[in-house]
Amino acid sequence: MRIVTLGEKCIIRLEDSNNGKLFGECPIDDWPSVTAVEAVLDSSRYFVLRLVDPMDTSGRHAFIGVGFADRGDSFDFNVAISDHFKWLKQSKEIEKEDQNPKPVVDLSLKAGQTITINLKNKSGIDPDRVERRGSDQKPRPSGGGGGVTGFLPPPPGSLNSRVPLPGVKATSKQELGPLFRAG
């Protein structure tokens, strides 16, 4: 199997692996295609291709099932075809932009025009607040909260579940284990 793109055309060619002789072609006009390539409903690895004989002008065609042993190969098959049609769509959009160019907007600063940018201090300290408070005090960070940042207490019963039952007395630390407390 070979996916060939020639300009705007995309063709799946089924060839004999021994001598390279063409078995059949599946031209794809659009993607996702219902007429040329259709994925089966219950698997991502199997497809139905509509083969045509390029030399035959009568319009005869045949449907053939194609399966991939590896899911990655099936994914690559899908991506190769969809990438061609994405490229084709982008090429058409670029052509439209070339035919109808967008107006050029002048975003440069005029003579005497200035820009003011206010940047916050990375440490979270507001320099205006520090000056108002005086130089003898330490600046406080302007973050939220009460200033206490600690760890949450352990969940209830986390250590108590390893304490021996009442009435059972351990005789040594080895019997209690490292997390039990001798009482």
Side-chain angles (χ1 to χ4, degrees):
M1 179 182 296
R2 189 179 303 239
I3 300 174
V4 180
T5 59
L6 301 168
E8 294 184 3
K9 292 183 180 181
C10 182
I11 301 169
I12 299 173
R13 296 176 53 110
L14 298 178
E15 301 172 348
D16 187 358
S17 60
N18 296 329
N19 57 15
K21 185 178 176 189
L22 180 65
F23 175 75
E25 285 186 345
C26 176
I28 305 171
D29 298 325
D30 59 344
W31 190 256
S33 175
V34 178
T35 58
V37 178
E38 187 172 355
V40 298
L41 296 176
D42 59 346
S43 177
S44 64
R45 298 183 302 137
Y46 297 96
F47 300 89
V48 176
L49 303 179
R50 182 180 184 258
L51 297 182
V52 296
D53 185 3
M55 302 302 170
D56 186 14
T57 58
S58 65
R60 294 185 327 163
H61 60 272
F63 292 101
I64 187 168
V66 176
F68 293 93
D70 185 22
R71 197 174 286 165
D73 293 337
S74 170
F75 177 77
D76 292 342
F77 174 75
N78 265 325
V79 168
I81 297 171
S82 64
D83 279 351
H84 168 75
F85 286 98
K86 283 181 187 176
W87 170 81
L88 192 61
K89 183 179 176 183
Q90 289 174 350
S91 297
K92 289 180 181 179
E93 289 176 2
I94 290 172
E95 274 183 29
K96 286 180 184 177
E97 287 180 9
D98 289 345
Q99 293 172 356
N100 301 326
K102 294 181 181 178
V104 178
V105 179
D106 183 19
L107 299 175
S108 62
L109 294 176
K110 308 301 181 234
Q113 189 177 12
T114 60
I115 295 177
T116 303
I117 300 174
N118 296 326
L119 299 175
K120 290 191 176 187
N121 194 352
K122 281 188 176 181
S123 65
I125 300 171
D126 185 7
D128 296 334
R129 290 180 67 195
V130 172
E131 292 173 10
R132 281 185 267 137
R133 293 179 54 214
S135 60
D136 59 335
Q137 295 178 337
K138 292 183 181 178
R140 282 187 264 158
S142 61
V148 178
T149 57
F151 295 105
L152 292 174
S158 62
L159 288 178
N160 295 338
S161 62
R162 295 192 172 190
V163 176
L165 296 173
V168 177
K169 181 129 180 143
T171 57
S172 71
K173 286 187 178 182
Q174 290 178 343
E175 291 178 15
L176 289 174
L179 296 178
F180 294 122
R181 299 179 197 149

